Amino acid sequence: IKEQGRHPDLLAKGDHYARLWQKQSGFSFSEGLAQVDPGKLKRYPIFESLDSNLLEELATLFVTESYPANRIVVREGTSGNRFYLIARGRVSVHKTNAQGVEEKVATLDDGDHFGEVALIQNVKRTATVRTLTPCVLLTLHREHFQNLLQQAPHVLEALQKTQMTRAKKENTERIKWK
C-alpha cells in the first residue's frame, strides 16, 4: 500500500494516488462506447494549449475501438492513420532492433497515448503495439488530426516535444530490458 486515506485528502496530497487518478479519470463509458472529457484532453501535453472550444470539438471526433488481449493494434512499418488514447487496458510497445529481433520498449496503460509520430511526420509506424489485456481505445483519424493542426499550428511544437520525451523514455526502457 503506497498511500491510505480519503479520496479528497489523497488528491490534495498530490502524490501517487493523485497522479493515478489524474491519469485514469476523464473517460466515460456507456453501452460499449467510450468518450473522453475535453478537460482530460487538456491534460495531454499535445493538446494543453488548445482553447476550450477546440477541445470540445476534438472530444467529439474520437471513435471507440475495442480489442481483446494479445491483439496487434499497430504494426511497425505500416502506414499510420490514427492517434490512440487508452481508455481502459494495457498494451506493450515493441521495436525491431538492428538484428531484426523485436524488443519490448514500453508498457502503456489507462490514460496513455500513442500514434502521434506517424500522424505528424507522415512516416511508417515506428513500433508494434500489442494488447496485454482487453482494451478500449479512443482513436482520432488522421484527417481530423490534420484539421486540428491547421486550426492550431502550435500543437505541432507540443507534439515534437512529446516525441522527444518519449524517445528518451524508450531508450531508457530498452536499456532495462537488455
Side-chain angles (χ1 to χ4, degrees):
I1 297 176
K2 288 200 175 224
E3 294 180 285
Q4 192 171 357
R6 295 178 336 125
H7 175 72
D9 298 334
L10 291 170
L11 287 180
K13 187 176 174 185
D15 205 2
H16 185 73
Y17 179 88
R19 285 192 304 276
L20 281 175
W21 176 259
Q22 278 266 342
K23 188 175 172 191
Q24 295 174 353
S25 65
F27 296 108
S28 58
F29 301 87
S30 177
E31 298 179 21
L33 298 176
Q35 292 181 323
V36 62
D37 183 76
K40 171 72 171 180
L41 289 176
K42 184 107 178 137
R43 294 192 301 251
Y44 289 99
I46 60 175
F47 301 131
E48 67 187 356
S49 59
L50 298 180
D51 66 48
S52 59
N53 290 334
L54 197 52
L55 287 168
E56 291 275 343
E57 180 183 338
L58 184 63
T60 67
L61 300 176
F62 280 87
V63 175
T64 304
E65 294 184 13
S66 297
Y67 294 86
N70 201 28
R71 180 71 50 97
I72 292 178
V73 177
V74 167
R75 186 175 301 278
E76 185 175 7
T78 61
S79 295
N81 65 355
R82 289 190 299 267
F83 169 76
Y84 297 83
L85 296 175
I86 303 172
R88 291 288 180 262
R90 177 173 275 191
V91 302
S92 59
V93 181
H94 303 261
K95 288 190 174 200
T96 305
N97 66 21
Q99 293 76 34
V101 177
E102 193 177 85
E103 294 180 332
K104 182 178 176 182
V105 295
T107 300
L108 307 174
D109 52 21
D110 297 359
D112 288 328
H113 66 281
F114 60 94
E116 68 279 6
V117 173
L119 292 177
I120 63 171
Q121 293 185 358
N122 196 20
V123 297
K124 303 287 186 190
R125 294 287 186 190
T126 60
T128 296
V129 177
R130 181 178 292 113
T131 59
L132 297 173
T133 64
C135 290
V136 176
L137 307 176
L138 286 169
T139 64
L140 178 62
H141 195 274
R142 174 184 210 124
E143 176 184 322
H144 299 297
F145 197 78
Q146 292 298 326
N147 288 341
L148 168 70
L149 291 179
Q150 288 175 1
Q151 293 177 50
H154 56 282
V155 173
L156 182 58
E157 184 180 315
L159 284 171
Q160 290 167 335
K161 181 180 175 185
T162 299
Q163 178 186 353
M164 289 175 63
T165 302
R166 182 171 281 175
K168 288 178 187 176
K169 181 179 177 183
E170 286 175 358
N171 285 336
T172 302
E173 288 290 325
R174 188 176 294 128
I175 291 168
K176 286 181 188 176
W177 289 101
K178 287 188 175 185

